[in-house]
Coordinates of all heavy atoms in Angstrom, one line a residue:
M1 N -23.7 143.7 130.7 CA -25.0 143.3 131.0 C -25.8 144.6 131.4 O -25.3 145.2 132.4 CB -25.0 142.2 132.1 CG -26.3 141.9 132.6 SD -26.4 140.6 133.9 CE -25.0 139.6 133.7
P2 N -26.8 145.0 130.8 CA -27.6 146.1 131.2 C -28.2 145.9 132.6 O -28.7 144.8 132.9 CB -28.7 146.3 130.1 CG -28.2 145.5 129.0 CD -27.3 144.4 129.5
W3 N -28.3 147.0 133.4 CA -28.8 146.9 134.8 C -30.2 146.4 134.8 O -30.5 145.6 135.7 CB -28.8 148.3 135.4 CG -27.4 148.9 135.7 CD1 -26.8 149.9 135.1 CD2 -26.5 148.4 136.7 NE1 -25.6 150.1 135.6 CE2 -25.4 149.2 136.6 CE3 -26.6 147.4 137.6 CZ2 -24.3 149.0 137.5 CZ3 -25.5 147.2 138.5 CH2 -24.4 148.0 138.4
Q4 N -31.0 146.8 133.8 CA -32.4 146.4 133.8 C -32.6 144.9 133.6 O -33.7 144.3 133.8 CB -33.3 147.2 132.9 CG -32.9 147.0 131.4 CD -31.8 148.0 131.0 OE1 -31.1 148.6 131.8 NE2 -31.7 148.1 129.7
E5 N -31.6 144.2 133.0 CA -31.7 142.7 132.8 C -31.3 141.9 134.0 O -31.6 140.7 134.0 CB -30.8 142.4 131.6 CG -31.3 142.9 130.3 CD -30.5 142.4 129.1 OE1 -29.6 141.5 129.3 OE2 -30.7 143.0 128.0
I6 N -30.7 142.5 135.0 CA -30.2 141.7 136.1 C -31.4 141.3 137.0 O -32.2 142.2 137.3 CB -29.2 142.5 137.0 CG1 -27.9 142.8 136.1 CG2 -28.8 141.8 138.2 CD1 -27.0 143.8 136.7
C7 N -31.5 140.0 137.3 CA -32.7 139.6 138.0 C -32.3 138.9 139.3 O -33.2 138.4 140.1 CB -33.6 138.7 137.1 SG -32.7 137.2 136.5
F8 N -31.0 138.7 139.6 CA -30.6 138.0 140.8 C -29.2 138.5 141.2 O -28.3 138.7 140.4 CB -30.5 136.5 140.5 CG -30.3 135.6 141.7 CD1 -31.2 135.6 142.7 CD2 -29.2 134.8 141.8 CE1 -31.1 134.8 143.8 CE2 -29.0 134.0 142.9 CZ -29.9 134.0 143.9
F9 N -29.0 138.8 142.5 CA -27.8 139.2 143.1 C -27.5 138.4 144.3 O -28.3 138.3 145.2 CB -27.9 140.7 143.4 CG -26.7 141.4 144.0 CD1 -25.4 140.9 143.6 CD2 -26.8 142.4 144.9 CE1 -24.3 141.6 144.1 CE2 -25.7 143.1 145.4 CZ -24.4 142.7 145.0
A10 N -26.4 137.6 144.3 CA -26.2 136.6 145.4 C -24.8 136.5 145.8 O -23.9 136.9 145.1 CB -26.7 135.2 144.9
T11 N -24.6 136.0 147.0 CA -23.2 135.7 147.5 C -23.3 134.3 148.1 O -24.3 133.8 148.6 CB -22.8 136.7 148.5 OG1 -21.4 136.5 148.9 CG2 -23.7 136.8 149.7
Y12 N -22.1 133.7 148.2 CA -22.0 132.4 148.8 C -20.5 132.1 149.1 O -19.6 132.7 148.5 CB -22.6 131.2 147.9 CG -22.0 131.2 146.5 CD1 -20.9 130.4 146.2 CD2 -22.6 132.0 145.5 CE1 -20.4 130.4 144.9 CE2 -22.1 132.0 144.2 CZ -21.0 131.2 143.9 OH -20.5 131.2 142.7
K13 N -20.2 131.1 150.0 CA -18.9 130.7 150.3 C -18.4 129.8 149.2 O -19.1 128.9 148.8 CB -18.8 130.0 151.6 CG -18.7 130.9 152.8 CD -18.4 130.2 154.1 CE -19.7 129.7 154.7 NZ -19.5 129.0 156.0
G14 N -17.2 130.0 148.8 CA -16.6 129.1 147.8 C -16.1 127.8 148.4 O -16.2 127.7 149.6
P15 N -15.5 127.0 147.6 CA -15.0 125.7 148.2 C -13.8 126.0 149.0 O -13.1 127.0 148.9 CB -14.6 124.9 146.9 CG -14.4 126.0 145.8 CD -15.4 127.1 146.2
S16 N -13.5 125.1 149.9 CA -12.3 125.3 150.8 C -11.1 125.2 150.0 O -11.0 124.5 149.0 CB -12.3 124.1 151.8 OG -11.2 124.2 152.6
T17 N -10.1 126.1 150.3 CA -8.9 126.1 149.6 C -7.7 125.6 150.4 O -7.7 125.8 151.6 CB -8.5 127.6 149.1 OG1 -8.5 128.4 150.3 CG2 -9.6 128.1 148.1
P18 N -6.8 124.8 149.8 CA -5.7 124.3 150.6 C -4.7 125.4 151.1 O -4.1 125.2 152.1 CB -5.0 123.3 149.7 CG -5.4 123.7 148.3 CD -6.8 124.4 148.5
L19 N -4.6 126.4 150.3 CA -3.7 127.5 150.7 C -4.5 128.6 151.4 O -5.5 129.1 150.9 CB -3.0 128.1 149.5 CG -2.2 127.1 148.7 CD1 -1.7 127.8 147.4 CD2 -1.0 126.6 149.5
L20 N -4.0 129.0 152.6 CA -4.8 130.0 153.3 C -4.2 131.4 153.0 O -3.4 132.0 153.7 CB -4.6 129.8 154.8 CG -5.2 128.5 155.4 CD1 -4.9 128.3 156.8 CD2 -6.7 128.5 155.2
L21 N -4.7 131.9 151.8 CA -4.3 133.2 151.4 C -5.2 134.3 152.1 O -4.9 135.5 152.0 CB -4.5 133.4 149.9 CG -3.6 132.5 149.0 CD1 -3.9 132.6 147.6 CD2 -2.1 132.8 149.3
S22 N -6.2 133.9 152.7 CA -7.1 134.8 153.4 C -7.3 134.4 154.8 O -6.8 133.3 155.2 CB -8.5 134.9 152.7 OG -9.1 133.7 152.7
T23 N -8.0 135.2 155.6 CA -8.2 134.8 157.0 C -9.2 133.6 157.1 O -9.3 133.0 158.2 CB -8.8 136.0 157.8 OG1 -10.0 136.4 157.2 CG2 -7.8 137.1 157.9
S24 N -9.9 133.3 156.1 CA -10.8 132.2 156.1 C -10.4 131.2 155.0 O -9.8 131.6 154.0 CB -12.2 132.7 155.7 OG -13.1 131.6 155.5
K25 N -10.7 129.9 155.2 CA -10.4 128.9 154.2 C -11.4 129.1 153.0 O -11.1 128.5 152.0 CB -10.6 127.5 154.8 CG -9.5 127.2 155.7 CD -9.7 125.8 156.4 CE -9.9 124.7 155.4 NZ -10.0 123.4 156.0
H26 N -12.4 129.8 153.1 CA -13.4 130.0 152.1 C -13.5 131.5 151.6 O -13.6 132.4 152.4 CB -14.8 129.6 152.6 CG -14.9 128.2 153.1 ND1 -15.2 127.2 152.3 CD2 -14.8 127.7 154.4 CE1 -15.2 126.1 153.0 NE2 -15.0 126.4 154.3
D27 N -13.3 131.6 150.3 CA -13.5 133.0 149.8 C -15.0 133.2 149.5 O -15.7 132.2 149.3 CB -12.7 133.1 148.5 CG -11.2 133.1 148.7 OD1 -10.8 133.6 149.7 OD2 -10.5 132.7 147.8
R28 N -15.4 134.4 149.5 CA -16.8 134.8 149.2 C -16.9 135.0 147.7 O -16.0 135.6 147.1 CB -17.3 136.0 149.9 CG -17.3 136.0 151.3 CD -18.4 135.4 152.1 NE -19.8 135.5 151.6 CZ -20.7 134.6 151.9 NH1 -20.4 133.6 152.8 NH2 -21.9 134.6 151.5
Y29 N -17.9 134.5 147.1 CA -18.2 134.7 145.7 C -19.5 135.5 145.6 O -20.4 135.4 146.4 CB -18.4 133.4 144.9 CG -17.1 132.7 144.7 CD1 -16.6 131.9 145.6 CD2 -16.5 132.8 143.4 CE1 -15.4 131.2 145.4 CE2 -15.3 132.1 143.2 CZ -14.8 131.3 144.2 OH -13.6 130.7 144.0
Y30 N -19.5 136.4 144.6 CA -20.7 137.2 144.3 C -21.1 137.0 142.9 O -20.3 136.8 142.0 CB -20.3 138.7 144.5 CG -20.1 139.0 146.0 CD1 -18.8 138.8 146.5 CD2 -21.1 139.5 146.8 CE1 -18.5 139.0 147.8 CE2 -20.8 139.7 148.1 CZ -19.6 139.5 148.6 OH -19.3 139.7 150.0
E31 N -22.4 137.0 142.6 CA -22.9 136.8 141.3 C -24.1 137.8 141.0 O -24.9 138.0 141.8 CB -23.5 135.4 141.1 CG -22.5 134.3 141.1 CD -23.0 132.9 140.7 OE1 -24.2 132.8 140.5 OE2 -22.2 132.0 140.7
L32 N -24.0 138.3 139.7 CA -25.1 139.0 139.1 C -25.6 138.1 138.0 O -24.8 137.6 137.2 CB -24.7 140.3 138.6 CG -24.2 141.4 139.6 CD1 -23.6 142.6 138.9 CD2 -25.4 141.8 140.4
A33 N -26.9 137.9 137.9 CA -27.4 137.1 136.8 C -28.6 137.7 136.1 O -29.4 138.4 136.7 CB -27.9 135.8 137.4
S34 N -28.6 137.5 134.8 CA -29.7 137.8 133.9 C -30.2 136.5 133.3 O -29.5 135.5 133.6 CB -29.3 138.8 132.8 OG -28.6 138.1 131.8
P35 N -31.3 136.5 132.6 CA -31.7 135.2 132.0 C -30.6 134.6 131.1 O -30.6 133.4 130.9 CB -32.9 135.6 131.2 CG -33.5 136.7 131.9 CD -32.3 137.5 132.4
Q36 N -29.7 135.4 130.5 CA -28.7 134.8 129.6 C -27.3 134.8 130.1 O -26.4 134.1 129.5 CB -28.7 135.6 128.3 CG -30.0 135.5 127.4 CD -31.0 136.5 127.9 OE1 -30.8 137.5 128.5 NE2 -32.3 136.1 127.7
R37 N -27.0 135.6 131.1 CA -25.6 135.7 131.5 C -25.4 135.7 133.0 O -26.3 136.0 133.8 CB -25.0 137.0 131.0 CG -24.9 137.1 129.5 CD -24.2 138.4 129.2 NE -24.2 138.6 127.7 CZ -25.0 139.4 127.1 NH1 -25.9 140.1 127.7 NH2 -24.9 139.4 125.7
I38 N -24.2 135.4 133.5 CA -23.8 135.4 134.9 C -22.5 136.1 135.0 O -21.6 135.8 134.2 CB -23.7 134.0 135.5 CG1 -25.1 133.4 135.6 CG2 -23.1 134.2 136.9 CD1 -25.0 131.9 136.1
I39 N -22.4 137.1 135.9 CA -21.1 137.7 136.2 C -20.8 137.3 137.6 O -21.6 137.4 138.5 CB -21.2 139.3 136.1 CG1 -21.6 139.7 134.7 CG2 -19.9 139.9 136.6 CD1 -21.8 141.2 134.6
R40 N -19.6 136.7 137.7 CA -19.2 136.2 139.0 C -17.8 136.8 139.4 O -16.9 136.9 138.5 CB -19.1 134.7 139.0 CG -18.6 134.0 140.2 CD -18.5 132.5 140.1 NE -19.8 131.9 139.7 CZ -20.0 131.2 138.6 NH1 -19.0 130.9 137.8 NH2 -21.2 130.7 138.3
W41 N -17.6 137.1 140.6 CA -16.3 137.5 141.1 C -16.1 137.0 142.5 O -17.0 136.7 143.2 CB -16.1 139.1 141.0 CG -16.9 139.9 142.0 CD1 -16.5 140.3 143.2 CD2 -18.2 140.3 141.8 NE1 -17.5 141.1 143.8 CE2 -18.6 141.1 143.0 CE3 -19.2 140.2 140.8 CZ2 -19.8 141.7 143.1 CZ3 -20.4 140.8 141.0 CH2 -20.7 141.5 142.1
R42 N -14.8 136.9 142.8 CA -14.4 136.4 144.1 C -13.8 137.5 145.0 O -13.1 138.3 144.5 CB -13.3 135.3 144.0 CG -12.9 134.7 145.3 CD -11.9 133.6 145.0 NE -10.7 134.2 144.5 CZ -9.6 133.6 144.1 NH1 -9.6 132.2 144.1 NH2 -8.5 134.2 143.6
Y43 N -14.2 137.6 146.2 CA -13.7 138.6 147.1 C -12.9 137.8 148.2 O -13.4 136.9 148.8 CB -14.9 139.3 147.8 CG -14.4 140.3 148.9 CD1 -13.8 141.5 148.5 CD2 -14.4 139.9 150.2 CE1 -13.4 142.3 149.5 CE2 -13.9 140.8 151.2 CZ -13.4 142.0 150.8 OH -12.9 142.8 151.7
Q44 N -11.7 138.3 148.4 CA -10.8 137.7 149.4 C -10.7 138.7 150.5 O -10.4 139.9 150.3 CB -9.4 137.4 148.8 CG -9.5 136.3 147.8 CD -8.1 136.1 147.2 OE1 -7.4 137.0 146.9 NE2 -7.8 134.8 147.0
S45 N -10.9 138.3 151.8 CA -10.8 139.2 152.9 C -9.3 139.7 153.0 O -9.1 140.8 153.6 CB -11.2 138.5 154.2 OG -10.5 137.4 154.4
R46 N -8.4 139.0 152.5 CA -7.0 139.5 152.4 C -6.6 139.4 151.0 O -6.6 138.3 150.4 CB -6.1 138.7 153.3 CG -6.4 138.9 154.8 CD -5.3 138.3 155.6 NE -4.2 139.3 155.6 CZ -3.1 139.1 156.2 NH1 -2.9 138.0 156.9 NH2 -2.1 140.0 156.2
R47 N -6.2 140.5 150.4 CA -5.8 140.4 149.0 C -4.5 139.6 148.8 O -3.6 139.7 149.6 CB -5.6 141.9 148.5 CG -6.9 142.6 148.4 CD -6.7 144.0 147.8 NE -5.8 144.7 148.5 CZ -5.0 145.7 148.0 NH1 -5.1 145.9 146.7 NH2 -4.1 146.4 148.7
A48 N -4.5 138.8 147.8 CA -3.3 138.1 147.5 C -2.2 139.1 147.0 O -2.5 140.1 146.4 CB -3.6 137.1 146.4
P49 N -0.9 138.7 147.3 CA 0.2 139.7 146.9 C 0.2 140.0 145.4 O 0.6 141.1 145.1 CB 1.4 138.9 147.3 CG 1.0 137.8 148.3 CD -0.5 137.5 148.0
Q50 N -0.2 139.1 144.6 CA -0.2 139.3 143.2 C -1.3 140.2 142.7 O -1.3 140.6 141.5 CB -0.1 138.0 142.4 CG -1.3 137.2 142.4 CD -1.4 136.2 143.6 OE1 -0.7 136.4 144.5 NE2 -2.3 135.3 143.5
M51 N -2.3 140.5 143.5 CA -3.5 141.3 143.2 C -3.1 142.8 143.3 O -2.7 143.2 144.4 CB -4.7 140.9 144.0 CG -5.9 141.6 143.6 SD -7.2 141.1 144.7 CE -8.1 142.6 144.9
T52 N -3.3 143.6 142.3 CA -3.1 145.0 142.4 C -4.4 145.8 142.0 O -5.2 145.2 141.3 CB -1.9 145.4 141.5 OG1 -2.3 145.1 140.1 CG2 -0.7 144.7 141.9
T53 N -4.5 147.0 142.5 CA -5.6 147.8 142.1 C -5.0 149.2 141.6 O -3.9 149.6 142.0 CB -6.5 148.1 143.3 OG1 -5.8 148.7 144.4 CG2 -7.2 146.8 143.8
Q54 N -5.8 149.8 140.8 CA -5.4 151.2 140.3 C -6.6 152.1 140.7 O -7.7 151.8 140.2 CB -5.2 151.2 138.8 CG -3.9 150.5 138.4 CD -2.6 151.2 139.0 OE1 -2.6 152.4 139.1 NE2 -1.6 150.4 139.3
P55 N -6.5 153.1 141.5 CA -5.3 153.4 142.3 C -5.0 152.4 143.3 O -5.8 151.6 143.7 CB -5.6 154.7 142.9 CG -7.1 154.7 143.0 CD -7.6 153.9 141.8
E56 N -3.8 152.4 143.8 CA -3.4 151.4 144.9 C -4.2 151.6 146.1 O -4.5 152.8 146.5 CB -1.9 151.5 145.2 CG -1.0 151.0 144.1 CD 0.4 150.9 144.6 OE1 0.7 150.7 145.8 OE2 1.3 151.0 143.7
L57 N -4.7 150.6 146.7 CA -5.6 150.6 147.9 C -5.0 149.7 149.0 O -4.6 148.6 148.7 CB -7.0 150.2 147.6 CG -7.8 151.0 146.6 CD1 -9.1 150.3 146.3 CD2 -8.0 152.4 147.1
D58 N -5.0 150.2 150.2 CA -4.6 149.3 151.3 C -5.8 148.4 151.6 O -6.9 148.6 151.0 CB -4.1 150.0 152.5 CG -5.2 150.9 153.2 OD1 -6.4 150.7 152.9 OD2 -4.8 151.7 154.0
Q59 N -5.7 147.4 152.4 CA -6.7 146.4 152.7 C -8.0 147.1 153.2 O -9.1 146.8 152.7 CB -6.3 145.3 153.7 CG -7.3 144.2 153.8 CD -7.5 143.4 152.6 OE1 -6.6 143.0 151.9 NE2 -8.8 143.2 152.2
Q60 N -7.9 148.1 154.1 CA -9.0 148.7 154.6 C -9.8 149.5 153.6 O -11.0 149.5 153.5 CB -8.6 149.6 155.8 CG -9.7 150.2 156.6 CD -9.2 151.0 157.8 OE1 -8.2 151.6 157.8 NE2 -10.0 150.9 158.9
A61 N -9.1 150.2 152.7 CA -9.7 151.0 151.6 C -10.3 150.0 150.6 O -11.4 150.3 150.1 CB -8.7 151.9 150.9
Y62 N -9.7 148.9 150.3 CA -10.2 147.9 149.4 C -11.6 147.3 150.0 O -12.5 147.2 149.2 CB -9.2 146.8 149.2 CG -9.7 145.7 148.3 CD1 -9.8 145.9 146.9 CD2 -10.1 144.5 148.8 CE1 -10.3 144.9 146.0 CE2 -10.6 143.5 147.9 CZ -10.6 143.7 146.6 OH -11.1 142.7 145.7
D63 N -11.6 147.0 151.3 CA -12.8 146.5 151.9 C -13.9 147.5 151.8 O -15.1 147.2 151.5 CB -12.5 146.1 153.4 CG -11.6 144.9 153.5 OD1 -11.4 144.2 152.6 OD2 -11.0 144.8 154.6
R64 N -13.6 148.8 152.1 CA -14.6 149.8 152.0 C -15.1 150.0 150.6 O -16.3 150.1 150.4 CB -14.0 151.1 152.6 CG -15.0 152.2 152.8 CD -14.4 153.4 153.5 NE -13.0 153.8 153.1 CZ -11.9 153.6 153.7 NH1 -11.9 153.0 154.9 NH2 -10.7 154.0 153.2
W65 N -14.2 150.0 149.6 CA -14.6 150.1 148.2 C -15.5 148.9 147.8 O -16.6 149.1 147.1 CB -13.4 150.1 147.3 CG -13.7 150.0 145.9 CD1 -14.1 151.0 145.0 CD2 -13.8 148.8 145.1 NE1 -14.4 150.5 143.8 CE2 -14.2 149.1 143.8 CE3 -13.5 147.4 145.4 CZ2 -14.4 148.2 142.8 CZ3 -13.7 146.5 144.3 CH2 -14.1 146.9 143.1
H66 N -15.2 147.7 148.3 CA -16.1 146.6 147.9 C -17.4 146.7 148.5 O -18.5 146.4 147.9 CB -15.4 145.2 148.3 CG -16.1 144.0 147.7 ND1 -17.0 143.3 148.4 CD2 -16.0 143.5 146.5 CE1 -17.4 142.3 147.6 NE2 -16.8 142.4 146.5
Q67 N -17.5 147.1 149.8 CA -18.9 147.3 150.4 C -19.7 148.4 149.6 O -20.9 148.3 149.4 CB -18.7 147.7 151.8 CG -18.3 146.6 152.7 CD -19.3 145.4 152.7 OE1 -20.5 145.6 152.8 NE2 -18.8 144.2 152.4
Q68 N -19.0 149.5 149.2 CA -19.6 150.5 148.4 C -20.1 149.9 147.0 O -21.2 150.3 146.6 CB -18.7 151.7 148.2 CG -18.5 152.5 149.4 CD -17.4 153.5 149.2 OE1 -16.6 153.5 148.3 NE2 -17.3 154.5 150.2
L69 N -19.3 149.0 146.4 CA -19.7 148.4 145.2 C -21.0 147.6 145.4 O -21.9 147.7 144.6 CB -18.6 147.5 144.7 CG -18.9 146.6 143.5 CD1 -19.2 147.5 142.2 CD2 -17.8 145.6 143.2
L70 N -21.1 146.8 146.4 CA -22.3 146.0 146.7 C -23.5 146.9 146.9 O -24.6 146.6 146.4 CB -22.1 145.1 147.9 CG -20.9 144.1 147.9 CD1 -20.8 143.4 149.2 CD2 -21.1 143.2 146.7
G71 N -23.3 148.0 147.6 CA -24.4 149.0 147.8 C -24.8 149.6 146.5 O -26.0 149.8 146.2
Y72 N -23.9 149.9 145.6 CA -24.2 150.5 144.3 C -25.0 149.6 143.5 O -26.0 149.9 142.8 CB -22.9 150.9 143.6 CG -23.1 151.6 142.3 CD1 -23.5 152.9 142.2 CD2 -22.8 150.8 141.1 CE1 -23.7 153.4 140.9 CE2 -23.0 151.4 139.9 CZ -23.4 152.7 139.8 OH -23.6 153.3 138.5
I73 N -24.6 148.3 143.5 CA -25.3 147.3 142.7 C -26.7 147.2 143.2 O -27.7 147.1 142.4 CB -24.5 145.9 142.7 CG1 -23.2 146.0 142.0 CG2 -25.4 144.8 142.2 CD1 -22.3 144.8 142.2
Q74 N -26.9 147.1 144.5 CA -28.2 147.0 145.1 C -29.1 148.2 144.7 O -30.3 148.1 144.3 CB -28.2 146.9 146.6 CG -27.7 145.5 147.1 CD -27.6 145.4 148.6 OE1 -26.9 146.2 149.2 NE2 -28.4 144.6 149.1
A75 N -28.5 149.4 144.7 CA -29.3 150.6 144.3 C -29.6 150.6 142.8 O -30.7 151.0 142.5 CB -28.4 151.9 144.7
R76 N -28.7 150.2 142.0 CA -29.0 150.2 140.5 C -30.0 149.1 140.1 O -30.7 149.3 139.2 CB -27.7 150.0 139.7 CG -26.7 151.2 139.8 CD -27.3 152.4 139.1 NE -27.8 152.3 137.8 CZ -27.2 152.7 136.7 NH1 -26.1 153.3 136.8 NH2 -27.8 152.5 135.5
T77 N -29.9 147.9 140.8 CA -30.8 146.8 140.4 C -32.1 146.8 141.2 O -33.0 146.1 140.8 CB -30.1 145.5 140.6 OG1 -29.7 145.3 142.0 CG2 -28.8 145.4 139.7
N78 N -32.1 147.4 142.4 CA -33.2 147.3 143.3 C -33.5 145.9 143.7 O -34.6 145.5 144.0 CB -34.5 147.9 142.7 CG -35.5 148.4 143.7 OD1 -35.1 148.7 144.8 ND2 -36.7 148.5 143.4
L79 N -32.4 145.2 143.9 CA -32.4 143.8 144.3 C -31.7 143.6 145.6 O -30.6 144.2 145.8 CB -31.8 142.8 143.3 CG -32.5 142.7 141.9 CD1 -31.6 142.0 140.9 CD2 -33.8 142.0 142.1
P80 N -32.1 142.7 146.5 CA -31.4 142.4 147.7 C -30.2 141.5 147.4 O -30.2 140.8 146.4 CB -32.4 141.7 148.6 CG -33.3 141.0 147.6 CD -33.4 142.0 146.4
L81 N -29.2 141.6 148.2 CA -28.0 140.7 148.1 C -28.4 139.4 148.9 O -28.6 139.5 150.1 CB -26.8 141.3 148.7 CG -25.5 140.4 148.7 CD1 -25.2 139.8 147.3 CD2 -24.4 141.1 149.3
V82 N -28.7 138.3 148.2 CA -29.1 137.1 148.8 C -27.9 136.2 149.2 O -27.1 135.9 148.4 CB -30.0 136.3 147.8 CG1 -30.4 134.9 148.4 CG2 -31.2 137.1 147.4
D83 N -27.8 135.9 150.5 CA -26.7 135.0 151.0 C -27.2 133.6 150.8 O -28.1 133.1 151.6 CB -26.4 135.3 152.4 CG -25.2 134.5 152.9 OD1 -24.8 133.6 152.3 OD2 -24.8 134.8 154.0
L84 N -26.7 132.9 149.8 CA -27.2 131.5 149.5 C -26.8 130.5 150.6 O -27.4 129.5 150.7 CB -26.7 131.1 148.2 CG -27.2 131.9 147.0 CD1 -26.6 131.3 145.7 CD2 -28.7 131.9 146.9
D85 N -25.8 130.9 151.4 CA -25.4 130.0 152.5 C -26.5 130.0 153.6 O -26.5 129.1 154.4 CB -24.1 130.4 153.1 CG -22.9 130.3 152.1 OD1 -22.9 129.2 151.4 OD2 -22.1 131.2 152.0
S86 N -27.3 131.0 153.7 CA -28.3 131.1 154.7 C -29.7 130.6 154.3 O -30.6 130.7 155.1 CB -28.4 132.5 155.3 OG -28.8 133.4 154.4
V87 N -29.8 130.3 153.0 CA -31.1 129.8 152.5 C -31.3 128.4 152.9 O -30.4 127.5 152.6 CB -31.2 130.0 150.9 CG1 -32.5 129.4 150.4 CG2 -31.0 131.4 150.6
P88 N -32.4 128.0 153.6 CA -32.6 126.6 154.0 C -32.8 125.7 152.7 O -33.4 126.1 151.8 CB -33.9 126.6 154.8 CG -34.4 128.0 154.7 CD -33.5 128.9 154.0
V89 N -32.2 124.6 152.8 CA -32.3 123.6 151.8 C -33.5 122.7 152.1 O -33.5 122.1 153.2 CB -31.0 122.7 151.7 CG1 -31.1 121.6 150.6 CG2 -29.8 123.6 151.4
P90 N -34.5 122.6 151.2 CA -35.6 121.7 151.5 C -35.2 120.3 151.5 O -34.4 119.8 150.7 CB -36.6 122.0 150.3 CG -35.8 122.7 149.2 CD -34.5 123.2 149.9
T91 N -35.8 119.5 152.4 CA -35.5 118.1 152.5 C -36.6 117.4 151.7 O -37.7 117.7 151.7 CB -35.5 117.6 154.0 OG1 -36.8 118.0 154.6 CG2 -34.4 118.3 154.8
G92 N -36.2 116.3 151.0 CA -37.1 115.6 150.2 C -38.0 114.6 151.1 O -37.5 114.2 152.1
K93 N -39.2 114.4 150.6 CA -40.1 113.4 151.3 C -39.7 112.0 150.9 O -39.3 111.7 149.8 CB -41.5 113.7 150.9 CG -42.0 115.0 151.4 CD -43.5 115.2 151.1 CE -44.0 116.5 151.6 NZ -45.4 116.7 151.3
R94 N -39.8 111.1 151.9 CA -39.4 109.7 151.6 C -40.6 108.9 151.6 O -41.6 109.0 152.2 CB -38.5 109.2 152.7 CG -37.2 109.9 152.7 CD -36.2 109.4 153.7 NE -35.0 110.2 153.7 CZ -33.9 109.9 154.2 NH1 -33.8 108.8 154.9 NH2 -32.9 110.6 154.1

């Protein structure tokens, strides 16, 4: 997806998971969206044992890399990272 087509950058908590692979029952999801496509990835505060990176990173280095990735995306798209969990949900009129 070309950078100039991205019109939305968001994060939100995923559904509760029965297995506590991370320090939270909810993993964070991130999305980049254009009018035609969505790129979504899940970030776990603790990497699952089956997850590997090249080069190998410990948890602290991985967390730092992910924060740098978010900053890079914001710089390239000139979009804020919107936390959808903090956006108020409008209530319907009765």
